[in-house]
Amino acid sequence: MRVETAVEKYKTAKKNAGDEAVVNYSHRLQPFLDFCEKYGFENVRDLTARRVAQYKKERVNHDIGPVTLEQQLRTLRDFLRWGEEETSLRGGLSPSCRVRPSFPPEESGRI
Protein backbone atom coordinates (compact mmCIF):
# COMPACT_ATOMS: atom_id res chain seq x y z
CA MET A 1 0.00 0.00 0.00
CA ARG A 2 1.28 3.46 -0.88
CA VAL A 3 2.17 5.69 2.08
CA GLU A 4 -0.24 8.39 0.87
CA THR A 5 -3.06 5.85 0.64
CA ALA A 6 -2.33 4.60 4.16
CA VAL A 7 -2.45 8.17 5.50
CA GLU A 8 -5.79 8.75 3.78
CA LYS A 9 -7.17 5.52 5.27
CA TYR A 10 -5.86 6.57 8.67
CA LYS A 11 -7.64 9.92 8.42
CA THR A 12 -10.84 8.16 7.36
CA ALA A 13 -10.55 5.84 10.36
CA LYS A 14 -10.16 8.91 12.60
CA LYS A 15 -13.29 10.70 11.26
CA ASN A 16 -15.07 10.11 14.58
CA ALA A 17 -12.56 12.52 16.18
CA GLY A 18 -14.16 15.36 14.20
CA ASP A 19 -13.33 17.37 11.11
CA GLU A 20 -10.92 19.72 12.88
CA ALA A 21 -8.93 16.81 14.29
CA VAL A 22 -8.66 15.22 10.84
CA VAL A 23 -7.38 18.51 9.41
CA ASN A 24 -4.81 18.61 12.22
CA TYR A 25 -3.74 15.03 11.43
CA SER A 26 -3.27 16.06 7.80
CA HIS A 27 -1.07 19.00 8.73
CA ARG A 28 0.95 16.98 11.23
CA LEU A 29 1.57 14.11 8.82
CA GLN A 30 2.42 16.27 5.80
CA PRO A 31 6.11 16.64 6.78
CA PHE A 32 6.32 12.84 6.99
CA LEU A 33 4.76 12.48 3.54
CA ASP A 34 7.25 15.05 2.23
CA PHE A 35 10.09 13.07 3.83
CA CYS A 36 8.88 9.84 2.21
CA GLU A 37 8.66 11.54 -1.18
CA LYS A 38 12.11 13.12 -0.79
CA TYR A 39 13.74 9.74 -0.13
CA GLY A 40 11.57 7.68 -2.47
CA PHE A 41 9.70 5.68 0.17
CA GLU A 42 6.50 4.98 -1.75
CA ASN A 43 5.15 1.87 -0.05
CA VAL A 44 4.51 1.34 3.66
CA ARG A 45 6.73 -1.73 3.38
CA ASP A 46 9.61 0.66 2.61
CA LEU A 47 9.39 2.08 6.12
CA THR A 48 11.83 0.79 8.71
CA ALA A 49 12.68 1.81 12.26
CA ARG A 50 15.90 3.35 10.93
CA ARG A 51 13.99 5.45 8.40
CA VAL A 52 11.48 6.60 11.02
CA ALA A 53 14.38 7.51 13.33
CA GLN A 54 15.97 9.43 10.43
CA TYR A 55 12.72 11.37 9.97
CA LYS A 56 12.59 12.13 13.69
CA LYS A 57 16.20 13.36 13.64
CA GLU A 58 15.47 15.63 10.68
CA ARG A 59 12.41 17.07 12.42
CA VAL A 60 14.34 17.63 15.66
CA ASN A 61 17.02 19.48 13.69
CA HIS A 62 14.41 21.49 11.80
CA ASP A 63 13.51 24.95 13.06
CA ILE A 64 10.13 24.12 14.62
CA GLY A 65 8.83 24.67 18.11
CA PRO A 66 8.83 21.90 20.70
CA VAL A 67 5.03 21.71 20.85
CA THR A 68 4.78 21.36 17.07
CA LEU A 69 7.50 18.71 17.09
CA GLU A 70 5.76 16.73 19.81
CA GLN A 71 2.39 16.94 18.04
CA GLN A 72 3.89 15.79 14.74
CA LEU A 73 5.72 12.86 16.32
CA ARG A 74 2.75 11.78 18.43
CA THR A 75 0.50 11.84 15.39
CA LEU A 76 3.06 9.86 13.40
CA ARG A 77 3.36 7.33 16.23
CA ASP A 78 -0.43 6.95 16.28
CA PHE A 79 -0.46 6.51 12.49
CA LEU A 80 2.26 3.85 12.69
CA ARG A 81 0.41 1.98 15.44
CA TRP A 82 -2.75 2.09 13.36
CA GLY A 83 -0.84 0.98 10.27
CA GLU A 84 0.68 -1.99 12.05
CA GLU A 85 -2.84 -3.32 12.62
CA GLU A 86 -4.64 -2.13 9.50
CA THR A 87 -2.07 -2.23 6.68
CA SER A 88 1.03 -4.12 5.62
CA LEU A 89 3.17 -1.78 7.73
CA ARG A 90 5.78 -3.79 9.60
CA GLY A 91 5.43 -3.93 13.38
CA GLY A 92 7.60 -2.18 15.91
CA LEU A 93 8.00 1.17 14.17
CA SER A 94 5.99 3.32 16.57
CA PRO A 95 8.59 3.27 19.39
CA SER A 96 10.91 5.14 16.98
CA CYS A 97 8.63 8.15 17.44
CA ARG A 98 8.89 8.46 21.20
CA VAL A 99 9.40 12.03 22.21
CA ARG A 100 10.25 13.50 25.55
CA PRO A 101 8.62 16.88 26.04
CA SER A 102 11.18 19.65 26.14
CA PHE A 103 8.74 22.17 27.52
CA PRO A 104 6.74 22.53 30.72
CA PRO A 105 3.47 20.53 30.80
CA GLU A 106 1.41 23.73 31.07
CA GLU A 107 2.64 24.71 27.57
CA SER A 108 1.51 21.47 25.98
CA GLY A 109 -2.18 22.34 25.91
CA ARG A 110 -4.25 19.31 24.95
CA ILE A 111 -1.33 17.13 23.89
Side-chain angles (χ1 to χ4, degrees):
M1 178 182 298
R2 294 185 56 80
V3 176
E4 296 88 355
T5 302
V7 168
E8 288 303 316
K9 287 183 177 233
Y10 168 78
K11 293 187 304 188
T12 299
K14 295 293 185 173
K15 285 274 188 193
N16 63 345
D19 292 340
E20 186 177 332
V22 173
V23 168
N24 288 336
Y25 297 145
S26 294
H27 290 298
R28 292 175 188 161
L29 288 171
Q30 188 58 52
F32 181 69
L33 290 173
D34 295 342
F35 170 84
C36 290
E37 183 178 339
K38 176 181 174 181
Y39 291 102
F41 308 141
E42 296 180 1
N43 193 294
V44 293
R45 289 175 292 185
D46 295 333
L47 301 176
T48 64
R50 179 175 287 187
R51 289 174 176 165
V52 172
Q54 177 186 357
Y55 168 76
K56 179 181 175 182
K57 183 178 180 180
E58 287 189 18
R59 295 310 294 161
V60 166
N61 292 331
H62 200 294
D63 189 24
I64 59 175
V67 173
T68 301
L69 174 64
E70 183 173 359
Q71 289 173 336
Q72 288 177 355
L73 293 177
R74 284 182 190 246
T75 301
L76 178 59
R77 185 177 61 207
D78 188 57
F79 164 70
L80 294 173
R81 284 180 180 156
W82 172 86
E84 290 167 2
E85 295 179 15
E86 303 295 328
T87 72
S88 56
L89 188 65
R90 69 183 79 212
L93 297 181
S94 58
S96 302
C97 294
R98 287 193 184 130
V99 62
R100 290 193 175 119
S102 58
F103 50 88
E106 61 271 8
E107 291 183 33
S108 66
R110 298 185 308 162
I111 304 174

